[in-house]
Amino acid sequence: MKVALIFGTRPEAIKMAPVFYQLKNIGIDAKVLVTGQHKEMLYQVLDLFEVKPDYDLEIMKQGQDLSELTSRLIQKVDKVVKDEKFDYILVQGDTTSAFVGALVGYYNQIPVGHIEAGLRTGDIFSPFPEEANRKLIGNIADIHFAPTVVNSKNLLQEGYCSSKIIETGNTVIDALYWVKQNKSSDLEKIKEKYNIHNKKYILMTMHRRENWGKPMENVLQGVRKYLEENKDLYLVFPMHLNPLVRESVNKVLEGFERKILIDPLEYLEFIAIMDGAHYIMTDSGGVQEEAPSLGKPTLVLRDTTERPEAIEAGTAKLIGTSAGNVYNYMKLLEGNLYQEMSKANNPYGDGKTSERIGNYLKNRRK
């Protein structure tokens, strides 16, 4: 059985690496096709997990919009798929690379497995274009590997057959456990490298398109107000390379001294900084999944989330992007709420998700 793993961004690489190794371990011929939708950030993760792509499409170029990205991806992915004659295609999540991988699989009548299936916000423009991508992949997929009960219910409500839905957990937990087990000394060295090993700090990340500009500025205003009242706290902010993000950060935080602004981090570095944080503020989906395994309360800087399990489990709070909400929730974390959130159980998995995905494909091969 020859299986293609098609992905192109750093989060996908993190979540696909454990699957790649599991397939290899059970004797499945797994081929890695990376699109290069992310550049440096993607290859940092591949190096960490020692995954060598069989194909690298290097798809990104300056000024490329979603339409051009999609059309170029279809042509390049299709050529590889036709040449290799895969028996099965795996895609992960909700990126344009994942959508195109599934679409090309459909065009070539190759069954597609969707890892991290069933996430929904109910608004195809939030997040954009991820919500539409994940729904479109759902219409194509042969099997839906749903991380949680909530995801399974979403798929059932949309009319998907229960026999085509398997609850697996999320592979991001597999990856996180691997790092904690194999790279613990590296994590401590990284904290010292950034001079945060002896500081109490809040980790913040914001990168989503819908938060660029005014929403991000509002959040930062709330954060700055709170930190100016709490002199023992620092802000650590790995900033997205997009100029619009950096402009907002520099505009609002100018003159504020207890900030540590750094470039986007390699995966291992980011895990280290998450591990040392007091708590986390983010608009990232992956961080919402990882933070509970590290015991970190998370304030989600969005109006909607396709990961309600974290909210229901008590590990995260959905707070939006108004300055007032941000400030008020930071105040709430001074009390018992912090302990309640930090001790809540992670609803996203037990570290055996890749094993379940591998077992499905192994049984299909027989």
Side-chain angles (χ1 to χ4, degrees):
M1 185 182 212
K2 188 191 292 187
V3 177
L5 285 73
I6 301 176
F7 57 92
T9 67
R10 182 174 84 161
E12 287 173 299
I14 294 165
K15 295 178 180 184
M16 283 292 224
V19 178
F20 171 75
Y21 280 112
Q22 181 62 26
L23 297 186
K24 289 286 190 182
N25 288 341
I26 61 176
I28 289 176
D29 183 9
K31 301 286 187 182
V32 173
L33 191 167
V34 299
T35 66
Q37 189 177 335
H38 285 173
K39 289 186 178 180
E40 293 83 1
M41 292 188 292
L42 168 66
Y43 304 122
Q44 290 165 0
V45 170
L46 294 176
D47 289 343
L48 172 67
F49 287 102
E50 298 179 0
V51 174
K52 295 182 179 179
D54 297 281
Y55 296 92
D56 187 346
L57 303 185
E58 299 181 337
I59 199 69
M60 291 308 292
K61 68 177 187 179
Q62 193 72 26
Q64 183 172 235
D65 64 14
L66 283 171
S67 297
E68 184 180 2
L69 171 63
T70 303
S71 63
R72 292 179 66 228
L73 272 173
I74 289 173
Q75 294 178 31
K76 291 196 171 191
V77 173
D78 186 68
K79 183 179 186 309
V80 175
V81 168
K82 281 184 165 61
D83 289 345
E84 284 281 0
K85 297 180 173 57
F86 294 111
D87 300 302
Y88 212 89
I89 288 174
L90 292 176
V91 297
Q92 193 281 328
D94 50 26
T95 68
T96 302
S97 293
F99 165 56
V100 168
L103 183 63
V104 170
Y106 167 72
Y107 285 163
N108 288 276
Q109 299 185 43
I110 300 170
V112 173
H114 187 197
I115 298 170
E116 199 179 79
L119 280 69
R120 298 290 187 269
T121 65
D123 179 353
I124 63 169
F125 293 102
S126 177
F128 173 85
E130 290 86 355
E131 177 76 0
N133 284 342
R134 60 175 71 110
K135 288 174 70 69
L136 291 165
I137 295 169
N139 286 322
I140 293 167
D142 167 70
I143 191 73
H144 309 270
F145 297 113
T148 70
V149 174
V150 170
N151 305 143
S152 295
K153 287 180 179 177
N154 289 340
L155 293 165
L156 290 170
Q157 288 171 358
E158 291 177 7
Y160 294 105
C161 180
S162 60
S163 65
K164 292 291 185 178
I165 302 168
I166 302 175
E167 286 172 26
T168 58
N170 197 302
T171 58
V172 75
I173 308 304
D174 300 28
L176 179 62
Y177 284 176
W178 183 90
V179 168
K180 288 284 285 182
Q181 181 177 349
N182 294 283
K183 302 288 182 178
S184 58
S185 61
D186 294 330
L187 298 180
E188 295 309 311
K189 290 175 185 175
I190 289 166
K191 293 171 190 174
E192 292 180 11
K193 170 186 172 182
Y194 287 101
N195 194 26
I196 58 172
H197 58 291
N198 57 357
K199 290 181 172 66
K200 184 179 180 181
Y201 62 89
I202 296 165
L203 171 61
M204 182 179 194
T205 74
M206 292 189 79
H207 69 280
R208 291 190 179 275
R209 283 183 179 87
E210 64 264 30
N211 279 341
W212 292 355
K214 193 64 176 175
M216 185 173 295
E217 291 177 15
N218 289 340
V219 168
L220 289 167
Q221 286 165 359
V223 170
R224 178 167 184 165
K225 178 182 178 183
Y226 180 81
L227 292 181
E228 284 176 341
E229 297 174 3
N230 292 269
K231 306 299 184 183
D232 64 327
L233 273 174
Y234 285 74
L235 176 68
V236 176
F237 195 155
M239 293 188 297
H240 196 283
L241 294 174
N242 188 286
L244 291 174
V245 172
R246 297 194 163 212
E247 181 181 336
S248 294
V249 173
N250 291 327
K251 175 182 176 182
V252 178
L253 296 183
E254 183 180 5
F256 179 72
E257 293 184 357
R258 281 176 288 109
K259 63 179 185 289
I260 301 173
L261 305 179
I262 50 183
D263 286 339
L265 296 166
E266 297 180 14
Y267 173 64
L268 187 64
E269 292 185 316
F270 189 72
I271 295 297
I273 289 181
M274 275 207 302
D275 190 48
H278 182 48
Y279 61 85
I280 299 169
M281 306 177 71
T282 188
D283 63 3
S284 165
V287 173
Q288 295 175 55
E289 296 159 350
E290 293 164 329
S293 289
L294 298 172
K296 305 300 174 181
T298 304
L299 300 181
V300 182
L301 304 170
R302 293 171 59 184
D303 296 317
T304 59
T305 181
E306 60 279 21
R307 292 170 173 84
E309 301 90 347
I311 310 299
E312 293 168 7
T315 68
K317 297 290 182 184
L318 187 68
I319 71 170
T321 57
S322 76
N325 268 5
V326 168
Y327 174 83
N328 289 336
Y329 271 98
M330 293 177 81
K331 288 285 288 183
L332 284 173
L333 282 177
E334 293 175 1
N336 292 335
L337 180 61
Y338 181 89
Q339 293 299 325
E340 293 171 10
M341 293 179 71
S342 64
K343 292 178 180 177
N345 291 326
N346 188 349
Y348 293 112
D350 58 4
K352 296 182 179 179
T353 298
S354 301
E355 184 179 329
R356 297 182 182 102
I357 293 169
N359 287 340
Y360 171 82
L361 293 174
K362 184 178 180 180
N363 291 333
R364 187 184 176 93
R365 181 177 57 181
K366 293 177 180 178

